[in-house]
Amino acid sequence: MYIAQELRKNNIAEYLLYMWQVEDTIRAFGCSLGRIRREYVARFDYSDEQKEEELDWFGNLIRMMNQEGCREQGHLQINKVTLQMLAELHQQLLESPKFPFYNAAYYKVLPFIVELRSRGADREENEIETCFNSLYGVMMLRLQKKEITPNTEHAVKEISTFIGMLADYYKKDKEEGLKFE
C-alpha cells in the first residue's frame, strides 16, 4: 500500500506494473489473507499499525479480485481504468501537434508493438497495453533469472523509454494540465 501510494504519485507506469505484480502476489498466496499475513507482510520492516493497514489493503484487493472475477487471471478494474487513462492520454498526445518528441518516440517503438502483436498478443488490447504487457513479461523473466535475448532487451529499452515519457506527461497533466491545442 505504501509503495503503491508513492508510485502512484511519482510514476504512474511503475505504479501500474507494481499493481500487476501485487495481483500476481495475491494469486501466488491463493488469495488467502492469512497466508499473506504470515508469509509476506510479516517480513516487512513496518510497525504493527502499518502491517495492519497493509493487510487491510490486501484484504480489499482480494475482495475486489473475487467480486471482479480475476482471482485466476486478468486485472482489477482500478488497474484497467489507470491503463485506459494512459491510453487516452497517449491518443491525445499523438493527435496534438504540440508534442513532436512524443510522436517521434511512438514511431520509434511502433515496429516493436507491431511485432509483439503479430506474435499472438491479444488483438483487442490497445498499443499502450501491449507495451505494458511486454514490460511486465520481461520483468517476470528477470525475476525468474531467465535469459532475455539482445533483441528483446533492445525492444524493452525503447518501450520503457516511450512509456516513461508517457508517464511524465501523465504526471505533468495531473499537476499542471497539458494544453493539447
Side-chain angles (χ1 to χ4, degrees), residues 70-179:
C70 57
R71 255 182 93 97
E72 303 296 322
Q73 65 181 21
H75 299 296
L76 287 165
Q77 195 61 38
I78 56 172
N79 296 331
K80 289 179 183 178
V81 167
T82 300
L83 187 62
Q84 186 58 39
M85 288 186 320
L86 287 168
E88 289 168 6
L89 177 60
H90 163 71
Q91 209 50 50
Q92 289 176 299
L93 291 165
L94 286 181
E95 292 169 2
S96 173
K98 290 191 166 194
F99 304 95
F101 294 114
Y102 184 82
N103 263 281
Y106 168 69
Y107 285 107
K108 192 172 182 181
V109 300
L110 187 56
F112 301 121
I113 295 169
V114 169
E115 184 178 341
L116 287 165
R117 288 179 151 195
S118 73
R119 289 185 182 176
D122 185 353
R123 304 260 182 233
E124 298 297 311
E125 73 185 21
N126 63 56
E127 293 170 326
I128 299 304
E129 189 171 358
T130 299
C131 290
F132 272 94
N133 280 330
S134 69
L135 294 174
Y136 189 74
V138 169
M139 187 173 90
M140 291 296 103
L141 289 173
R142 286 186 178 132
L143 286 173
Q144 297 166 18
K145 301 197 183 324
K146 293 191 176 171
E147 185 179 340
I148 299 162
T149 67
N151 286 346
T152 301
E153 284 282 0
H154 175 68
V156 166
K157 182 178 183 284
E158 296 297 334
I159 290 169
S160 182
T161 300
F162 168 66
I163 292 298
M165 186 180 287
L166 178 60
D168 289 344
Y169 278 122
Y170 177 88
K171 184 176 182 184
K172 185 172 183 167
D173 189 40
K174 292 295 170 212
E175 291 173 353
E176 304 167 23
L178 291 175
K179 300 200 181 0

Side-chain angles (χ1 to χ4, degrees), residues 16-85:
L16 189 58
L17 292 169
Y18 176 76
M19 288 303 295
W20 284 6
Q21 189 176 15
V22 167
E23 290 169 340
D24 281 345
T25 299
I26 290 169
R27 290 181 188 111
F29 287 105
C31 296
S32 165
L33 192 57
R35 284 191 62 203
I36 290 170
R37 174 192 306 269
R38 288 186 311 275
E39 299 171 37
Y40 189 63
V41 175
R43 300 184 308 175
F44 294 179
D45 187 24
Y46 288 169
S47 69
D48 289 345
E49 183 180 325
Q50 287 173 315
K51 286 180 181 178
E52 285 307 311
E53 288 176 359
E54 192 80 7
L55 284 166
D56 285 346
W57 182 66
F58 272 104
N60 286 329
L61 292 175
I62 292 168
R63 183 182 42 75
M64 288 188 288
M65 288 172 76
N66 287 328
Q67 290 172 343
E68 296 174 21
C70 57
R71 255 182 93 97
E72 303 296 322
Q73 65 181 21
H75 299 296
L76 287 165
Q77 195 61 38
I78 56 172
N79 296 331
K80 289 179 183 178
V81 167
T82 300
L83 187 62
Q84 186 58 39
M85 288 186 320

